[in-house]
Amino acid sequence: QVRLVESGGGLVQPGGSLRLSCSASESLERIFSMGWYRTAPGKQREFVARIMGSSTHYPDSVKGRFTISRDNAKNILNLEMSGLNPEDTAVYYCTVTIGGSWYWGQGTQVTVSS
């Protein structure tokens, strides 16, 4: 079973940037699909970004502001976030898909506030 640990969350002012990282217990080289989701207070979980091989996908809400990347050598999945606004406040979770099974981290809190 893959263990995922997110880090990098925190408090940031509107317009600011953060870099989230997700450390995996297994080599990312054998994992094709990885991504980030978020859950804001009182809202359903929302898709944020996905990388499948070298192809990336984003919803319109974060496109142009968020960038997902993978470092196979370090077994780390990253999410670079810029132009943050209060609507981005949420707990962010990384996830990987292996053989049809989804694995999730424990989440990291991102709060955008002045």
Side-chain angles (χ1 to χ4, degrees):
Q1 185 168 350
V2 179
R3 295 187 305 276
L4 304 170
V5 179
E6 301 94 337
S7 62
L11 174 64
V12 63
Q13 293 187 342
S17 300
L18 275 179
R19 182 183 188 182
L20 305 184
S21 295
C22 175
S23 179
S25 61
E26 295 189 14
S27 171
L28 296 187
E29 292 183 346
R30 61 180 291 264
I31 301 175
F32 178 71
S33 179
M34 298 177 282
W36 290 89
Y37 285 73
R38 67 187 181 188
T39 303
K43 295 186 178 181
Q44 293 185 334
R45 185 172 58 195
E46 177 187 17
F47 165 65
V48 174
R50 179 159 293 278
I51 184 166
M52 303 176 68
S54 59
S55 178
T56 58
H57 307 272
Y58 308 92
D60 288 343
S61 59
V62 308
K63 193 174 295 182
R65 300 188 298 122
F66 290 11
T67 302
I68 188 173
S69 63
R70 56 194 293 171
D71 186 336
N72 288 347
K74 297 181 178 178
N75 297 336
I76 291 177
L77 178 69
N78 294 309
L79 183 68
E80 299 275 0
M81 306 185 295
S82 63
L84 288 164
N85 57 64
E87 289 70 37
D88 295 315
T89 295
V91 178
Y92 285 70
Y93 300 88
C94 71
T95 179
V96 301
T97 307
I98 302 175
S101 296
W102 290 62
Y103 300 90
W104 299 84
Q106 83 290 346
T108 185
Q109 176 70 47
V110 172
T111 301
V112 184
S113 176
S114 56

